[in-house]
Amino acid sequence: MRIRKNAVITAVGGYVPDTVLSNHDLEEMVDTNSEWIVARTGIKERRIVNDPDIATSDMATYALKRLMEEGNVNPDEIDCVIVSTSTPDYVMVSTGSMVCEKAGLKNAWGIDTNAACSGFLYALTLGASMIESGRCKKVVVIGADKNSAIVNYTDRNTCILFGDGAGAVLLEQTEEPVGLMDSFFRTDGSGKENLIVTAGGSKFPASQSTLDEKLHYVRQDGRVVFKAAIQGMTDTCNEVLKSNDLVSAQIDYLIPHQANLRIIQSVGEYLGLSAEQVKVNIDRYGNTTAATIPLCLWDFKDDFKYGDKMILTAFGAGFSWGATYLKWGTLRQSKKD
Ligand code: UT7
């Protein structure tokens, strides 16, 4: 009998910059107020990079180094690094390549994936497939975004939402009945009308007019995205539950993308989960795009125990959305423990 080899998360690392951008700071920058921001989004503060030398790959590397230290992981044993980001260091040269160099990984190859806020979940499934197939033994999946590089700090519709950060997980093979079980993903390219960074790619290369028209900044129609996010996340969570013969009462935790507390609460309520089961850190970090889910895993890892059933779900630009079902395993111990 073939024993199914699962990919399981065995180490986690996270990083957010030291600089806090509070709601009160934003009151000085645009026509907004802290009460509105907290009531409409749940965000109290976010972290942003204030050192021009720090790029997405640096934040990703800090998260990976923390993962290696706390998980006692030998960098030479890592086969592959997948960085999910929509704010890569460069258009050409992958952030994954930069991370391998900066973290001193001699035997790894690094690539990027971009599915905006859903990117970490997509990358997690790609990484898991490489472990399940036996092609790789240790795969690091990172979600990292330096959103402060693409946010227009004179646009109150967007600048209140986003923060910078990075989160990393290590995937390894196990024969135990834990790890990534399933995913259900969708994309709809017509969503680009409602959430996009228009310029800087091959469609609209940087030019004087793209600069003048501020097309290098993120732009969104918040109301459209808000409704689509609740619907998309709820539907895909239900799909992944159904295809695994589960009902939501059997789920221990929901780890949602952190874009808006009201979206998170609505999805939790539609699934019938209690507030304690739904992990939230948006109040401290805002929306860190691809980093929200791994940062949640990092923040709350001490709450999780072996066998806990979790649904991870995200919605973002693309539109891209989906849900992943996983069973928590055992994290590697640091040398200090
Ligand atoms: O991670 C990627 C996915 N992104 C998301 O999931 C974001 C989804 N969208 C949202 O989170 C929400 O739509 C926002 C937080 C962006 C906006 O909240 P909203 O409740 O949808 O507000 P709204 O856009 O409907 O605006 C309501 C009012 C408007 O004023 P009027 O037209 O009613 O007079 C806005 O001009 O609030 C005004 N407003 C603000 N007021 C104070 C918009 N932004 C602000 C602001 N401060 N920063």
Side-chain angles (χ1 to χ4, degrees):
M1 190 182 83
R2 183 178 174 274
I3 298 169
R4 175 178 159 155
K5 301 230 171 45
N6 290 330
V8 66
I9 293 174
T10 56
V12 188
Y15 170 80
V16 287
D18 291 336
T19 302
V20 172
L21 181 66
S22 71
N23 290 349
H24 298 294
D25 295 330
L26 286 162
E27 287 175 355
E28 307 292 316
M29 297 159 73
V30 288
D31 178 17
T32 191
N33 60 81
S34 184
E35 294 70 35
W36 189 96
I37 300 173
V38 174
R40 305 308 289 170
T41 72
I43 303 169
K44 293 181 183 148
E45 60 185 42
R46 66 290 291 141
R47 303 296 187 94
I48 55 161
V49 168
N50 77 350
D51 176 347
D53 288 335
I54 300 295
T56 296
S57 69
D58 298 292
M59 294 194 296
T61 302
Y62 297 144
L64 172 54
K65 284 188 171 169
R66 199 163 276 177
L67 175 157
M68 292 194 294
E69 189 186 319
E70 297 203 1
N72 190 21
V73 181
N74 178 348
D76 293 346
E77 289 178 4
I78 295 173
D79 301 304
C80 171
V81 174
I82 308 176
V83 179
S84 182
T85 182
S86 35
T87 52
D89 292 18
Y90 307 107
V91 171
M92 188 167 77
V93 172
S94 77
T95 310
S97 176
M98 295 283 83
V99 171
C100 290
E101 191 212 355
K102 289 177 182 178
L105 309 188
K106 294 192 200 74
N107 301 316
W109 49 282
I111 58 161
D112 294 3
T113 63
N114 178 0
C117 299
S118 306
F120 177 78
L121 283 195
Y122 288 19
L124 192 65
T125 287
L126 295 173
S129 304
M130 291 198 288
I131 295 285
E132 288 157 5
S133 69
R135 213 168 269 277
C136 292
K137 289 203 162 49
K138 287 188 172 64
V139 174
V140 170
V141 180
I142 301 177
D145 271 300
K146 183 180 164 183
N147 286 313
S148 58
I150 57 162
V151 163
N152 177 356
Y153 285 100
T154 65
D155 174 12
R156 71 175 184 171
N157 291 305
T158 49
C159 74
I160 58 155
L161 299 171
F162 294 98
D164 300 338
V169 302
L170 177 69
L171 292 171
E172 293 186 80
Q173 212 173 59
T174 180
E175 289 179 10
E176 295 174 27
V178 290
L180 254 84
M181 296 291 142
D182 200 7
S183 293
F184 187 93
F185 296 145
R186 284 290 178 267
T187 50
D188 174 5
S190 68
K192 77 177 192 316
E193 304 305 325
N194 302 302
L195 179 52
I196 193 166
V197 176
T198 308
S202 63
K203 177 90 174 161
F204 297 102
S207 67
Q208 192 57 53
S209 79
T210 63
L211 287 174
D212 292 344
E213 291 174 51
K214 298 187 180 351
L215 298 183
H216 296 270
Y217 291 127
V218 64
R219 178 184 61 75
Q220 82 165 335
D221 182 333
R223 285 182 212 194
V224 174
V225 179
F226 186 94
K227 279 193 201 147
I230 295 173
Q231 183 84 53
M233 289 160 83
T234 307
D235 287 351
T236 50
C237 287
N238 280 324
E239 286 290 344
V240 90
L241 288 171
K242 196 169 85 189
S243 47
N244 289 277
D245 294 324
L246 288 168
V247 290
S248 56
Q250 293 168 278
I251 294 301
D252 295 293
Y253 294 108
L254 180 73
I255 317 289
H257 169 53
Q258 312 278 309
N260 185 313
L261 183 59
R262 290 183 296 139
I263 295 176
I264 294 169
Q265 287 171 336
S266 296
V267 175
E269 280 164 25
Y270 281 129
L271 295 175
L273 301 174
S274 70
E276 293 69 38
Q277 290 175 287
V278 180
K279 293 302 186 188
V280 173
N281 59 10
I282 191 173
D283 49 324
R284 288 173 286 141
Y285 305 147
N287 182 350
T288 55
T289 310
T292 60
I293 289 179
L295 275 174
C296 249
L297 294 175
W298 161 251
D299 267 356
F300 297 108
K301 63 185 183 326
D302 294 339
D303 294 356
F304 307 147
K305 39 181 211 318
Y306 185 89
D308 276 348
K309 295 187 180 72
M310 301 178 179
I311 301 285
L312 285 46
T313 184
F315 186 95
F319 288 147
S320 60
W321 70 101
T324 291
Y325 164 43
L326 68 79
K327 286 197 220 165
W328 197 248
T330 308
L331 294 185
R332 301 160 64 103
Q333 299 295 304
S334 78
K335 270 199 187 128
K336 288 177 267 168
D337 297 333

